[in-house]
Amino acid sequence: MPSHDVLIIGAGLAGQRAALSAAESGASVAIVSKVHPVRSHSVAAAGGINAALNPEDSWESHAFDTVKGSDYLGDQDAIEIMCREAPDELLYLEHIGVTFHRNETGHLGTRAFGGASAARTYYVADITGHAILHVLYEQLMKRTEQIDRYEEWFTTDLLQDDEGRCTGAICRDLRDGALEVFNAKTTILASGGCGQLYKPTTNGLIVTGDGIAQAYRIGAKLMDMEMVQYHPTTLAGNGLLITEGARGEGAWLLNAEGDRFMEKYAPNKFELASRDVVSRAEQTEINEGRGFPDGTVALDITKVPRRRTLEALREIVNIGRDFAGVDITREPIHILPGMHYIMGGIKTDSDGQTTVPHLYAAGEVACVSVHGGNRLGANSLLDTLVFGRRSGAHAAARALQMPMPSAPTSRVADTEKHIVAIMNRPTGGRRIGAIKNELGETMNEYVAVFRDEAGLTTAHEIVRRLKDEATHAAVDDRGSVFNQDVIAAIELGYMLDVAETIVVGALERRECRGAQWRIDYPGRNDEEWLKHIDISVNGADVPLVSFSPVTITRWQPEERTY
Ligand SMILES: Cc1cc2nc3c(=O)[nH]c(=O)nc-3n(C[C@H](O)[C@H](O)[C@H](O)COP(=O)(O)OP(=O)(O)OC[C@H]3O[C@@H](n4cnc5c(N)ncnc54)[C@H](O)[C@@H]3O)c2cc1C
């Protein structure tokens, strides 16, 4: 049985950064990932990472932009930590070998991003996540004495002792289907977001909310789950992302009449207002008949000098050509708002501690909360690294002072039984893919840029029905080697749990704030709703809502304009 001081579930940026920091603190570490680590979804991150590193910039300015971007729902103590620690984190990355862009003077160069009052986004062309993830993985491989990697292992359940403390997890080796208890003094969930419960989404097939659901099922509180970000520039149909870097480099948004409509909605920032503002503006143009017949508006990247586009935005040149048949250096490309990110997640403090003892969370799975109602572009990579590192260090320090818990090995039998039951389901029920499609389309219709009570209630009813249908969705593969059918059935259960918490949160918050835009409750209502919605499990699987205060250190809520 694998036994470690610190178990990390997830090997994207948050997980790898946590592993390195826990190992540096002297702990023995296991890092588990359902895919090879460098295929983790962080590899898709494009535009860059924020840090106030230039002498004329300041962490306070970065923090204020983040607070304002969050529509005042972000916890300001956590935001201060993230923005203060950003420059050191960026230099750490540079020193271990991330080849950040350098400008003509040889210094690290920046690009502008939405909602920021200074150009403070550091980048590697439009493959920033790829570049960072690979360099962290090199570091991981250098530390094989302390860090054991379990690549292509799937975590099914978290384990708890009689006092409710997390004592590790059960994982399935995807190569042969074997189940193992991973015993650990402390466990860090770094298993990413939940984009796949929307269709379309910018997120890859592996982003199924596993960790959020696993923590929820053992009683951890979730927070800000209603806050789901729609990115302003995604391709119709497939949801592929056109990075915000394009607008950072100078691209314009145009409606079908050729108007640069952002002038109306954000006269100071235009295309570089925060994402919720730009997505709402686009959706308004589309809903009011000023979009194109395919339900889109246009992003005009020809405003960026062609040479610069080919140098700094080469991936989206490929995406435009391969997936839309458009040469973005010569003509505008049609885009629309699309599901991209969840600001909510497992409620943690700024050291990653969740409400379940000895369980930590970091990265997109977690809600610290530094993004509140709306995440600023390029703040997520920063969040994964700063809070990944902090979680790793805290979990290691705690683990080094504890005895190894005794593992409840009997739980493996329950998981085994569950998997056998999935494989033995009679054929004839609805297909897993069909249920997943209906879930994604439902969320995209009713829990999107604009929301109201009737739509959210419909979504809730559909999700409850799908939860029931999912319990008898049959699988075809009954083997043990790379049985992705069984994994898809388990992931579907996670997605439905997470979807329900999102819908319940969105029904609860009766105001407009950040990504939660209730057309039936116009305006932000600080008097009643300047608070977090926490969701935990109540009985079998009914979400229980409670509230917690927003931490305000120095920035009182103000009207938010760009
Ligand atoms: C297309 C795209 C572009 C983006 N660009 C940017 C950008 O430029 N700047 C920015 O700041 N943010 C960007 N983001 C957001 C950012 O990339 C993500 O929020 C961030 O990378 C998430 O990192 P993570 O470490 O939390 O999770 P991930 O990188 O998603 O890693 C999750 C890990 O958990 C593992 N895992 C999940 N479930 C299980 C399980 N059951 N068992 C075992 N392992 C499991 C996975 O295998 C994986 O290793 C972008 C997002 C997308 C989709």
Side-chain angles (χ1 to χ4, degrees):
M1 176 199 314
S3 225
H4 294 83
D5 293 326
V6 183
L7 167 65
I8 297 168
I9 300 165
L13 290 183
Q16 294 200 29
R17 189 67 187 88
L20 291 171
S21 126
E24 275 156 22
S25 308
S28 71
V29 178
I31 183 163
V32 177
S33 172
K34 64 181 176 181
V35 295
H36 187 282
V38 296
R39 303 190 69 179
S40 299
H41 201 60
S42 294
V43 79
I49 174 169
N50 288 335
L53 190 61
N54 283 330
E56 61 276 17
D57 199 358
S58 71
W59 74 261
E60 289 92 340
S61 163
H62 183 187
F64 172 69
D65 291 344
T66 304
V67 169
K68 179 178 171 187
S70 82
D71 218 347
Y72 294 90
L73 189 67
D75 283 328
Q76 296 181 11
D77 52 347
I79 291 173
E80 287 193 16
I81 288 172
M82 181 176 81
C83 298
R84 249 187 237 266
E85 295 185 3
D88 281 348
E89 198 55 37
L90 195 96
L91 291 176
Y92 167 80
L93 296 175
E94 150 84 5
H95 292 165
I96 61 172
V98 179
T99 53
F100 284 112
H101 173 80
R102 291 197 171 249
N103 59 23
E104 0 9 281
T105 60
H107 294 94
L108 291 173
T110 54
R111 62 167 46 126
F113 247 58
S117 47
R120 62 169 75 95
T121 302
Y122 293 85
Y123 62 97
V124 183
D126 52 357
I127 55 161
T128 310
H130 181 116
I132 301 175
L133 194 65
H134 280 254
V135 169
L136 286 184
Y137 190 62
E138 287 166 11
Q139 300 298 314
L140 222 56
M141 286 194 295
K142 274 166 61 180
R143 293 185 175 266
T144 46
E145 276 163 27
Q146 266 180 289
I147 304 176
D148 287 338
R149 303 192 312 275
Y150 296 87
E151 299 171 356
E152 298 184 323
W153 281 73
F154 182 86
T155 303
T156 57
D157 305 273
L158 296 172
L159 294 169
Q160 278 172 301
D161 65 14
D162 294 340
E163 270 81 55
R165 293 176 293 226
C166 184
T167 59
I170 299 179
C171 304
R172 178 177 162 96
D173 186 347
L174 293 176
R175 279 164 301 193
D176 60 10
L179 285 172
E180 283 265 19
V181 167
F182 279 61
N183 203 23
K185 298 178 185 173
T186 53
T187 301
I188 304 175
L189 276 167
S191 47
C194 61
Q196 280 293 312
L197 57 90
Y198 279 73
K199 188 177 181 212
T201 170
T202 61
N203 291 197
L205 287 171
I206 57 173
V207 188
T208 47
D210 306 11
I212 302 177
Q214 288 164 1
Y216 171 69
R217 287 176 186 182
I218 65 160
K221 276 192 177 167
L222 309 182
M223 189 163 90
D224 299 346
M225 290 302 288
E226 69 280 17
M227 297 302 182
V228 174
Q229 178 165 81
Y230 270 62
H231 192 290
T233 56
T234 71
L235 293 188
N238 56 32
L240 285 173
L241 182 79
I242 302 294
T243 174
E244 188 164 314
R247 282 172 288 137
E249 298 286 346
W252 288 12
L253 287 165
L254 303 173
N255 64 20
E257 293 157 12
D259 294 333
R260 192 182 180 192
F261 57 85
M262 282 310 299
E263 188 175 7
K264 256 187 314 190
Y265 301 92
N268 298 317
K269 283 278 182 189
F270 285 72
E271 288 79 7
L272 289 179
S274 68
R275 288 178 176 176
D276 58 331
V277 172
V278 182
S279 286
R280 268 193 304 279
E282 290 176 1
Q283 199 61 56
T284 303
E285 293 296 300
I286 295 164
N287 292 353
E288 294 180 358
R290 292 183 294 278
F292 293 96
D294 60 352
T296 60
V297 288
L299 179 68
D300 187 358
I301 304 169
T302 67
K303 301 290 176 211
V304 183
R306 187 161 189 270
R307 204 162 148 231
R308 177 70 182 152
T309 301
L310 294 174
E311 174 200 72
L313 298 169
R314 53 191 183 236
E315 278 310 304
I316 61 165
V317 172
N318 294 336
I319 289 175
R321 186 193 59 221
D322 296 345
F323 293 95
V326 170
D327 178 353
I328 61 165
T329 66
R330 300 191 191 282
E331 56 178 318
I333 186 165
H334 287 196
I335 49 82
L336 79 171
M339 190 279 172
H340 181 59
Y341 182 85
I342 182 152
M343 274 72 73
I346 306 164
K347 182 183 178 81
T348 72
D349 68 8
S350 53
D351 289 315
Q353 299 185 88
T354 72
T355 55
V356 170
H358 302 181
L359 179 66
Y360 292 72
E364 196 171 334
V365 74
C367 179
V368 185
S369 102
V370 284
H371 309 303
N374 171 70
R375 169 174 75 85
L376 292 189
N379 262 356
S380 170
L381 295 188
L382 182 60
D383 166 12
T384 63
L385 295 162
V386 167
F387 294 105
R389 172 175 47 74
R390 292 177 68 93
S391 303
H394 200 279
R398 168 177 278 170
L400 291 174
Q401 290 165 8
M402 283 171 57
M404 189 62 76
S406 57
T409 43
S410 58
R411 282 286 312 280
V412 171
D414 298 338
T415 304
E416 185 73 57
K417 237 190 272 166
H418 177 57
I419 290 175
V420 170
I422 291 174
M423 289 200 206
N424 289 339
R425 284 177 190 163
T427 48
R430 259 186 112 188
R431 309 287 304 172
I432 289 168
I435 298 174
K436 187 179 163 208
N437 277 348
E438 189 178 349
L439 171 66
E441 283 160 7
T442 300
M443 297 298 284
N444 196 41
E445 182 167 357
Y446 300 114
V447 203
V449 174
F450 294 115
R451 305 162 174 191
D452 64 17
E453 173 129 9
L456 292 168
T457 305
T458 305
H460 197 192
E461 284 161 11
I462 295 173
V463 170
R464 291 298 302 179
R465 169 172 54 76
L466 295 179
K467 275 185 134 176
D468 182 49
E469 289 175 6
T471 58
H472 8 263
V475 301
D476 294 322
D477 187 350
R478 289 162 195 228
S480 51
V481 178
F482 282 105
N483 188 334
Q484 291 301 125
D485 242 7
V486 162
I487 298 302
I490 299 172
E491 288 172 343
L492 180 63
Y494 297 146
M495 285 190 277
L496 287 161
D497 278 2
V498 176
E500 187 170 21
T501 64
I502 291 173
V503 176
V504 165
L507 269 166
E508 190 67 36
R509 184 175 287 283
R510 295 178 185 85
E511 64 154 355
C512 295
R513 185 184 299 271
Q516 162 81 349
W517 210 260
R518 287 284 299 260
I519 53 177
D520 46 351
Y521 290 95
R524 197 177 78 196
N525 177 352
D526 286 335
E527 213 161 283
E528 285 178 76
W529 287 104
L530 185 59
K531 58 188 176 191
H532 297 290
I533 296 177
D534 297 345
I535 297 189
S536 52
V537 78
N538 182 20
D541 72 338
V542 182
L544 174 74
V545 170
S546 56
F547 303 97
S548 55
V550 174
T551 306
I552 294 188
T553 55
R554 55 171 102 182
W555 297 285
Q556 290 303 321
E558 292 172 359
E559 195 195 347
R560 187 164 161 256
T561 52
Y562 286 99

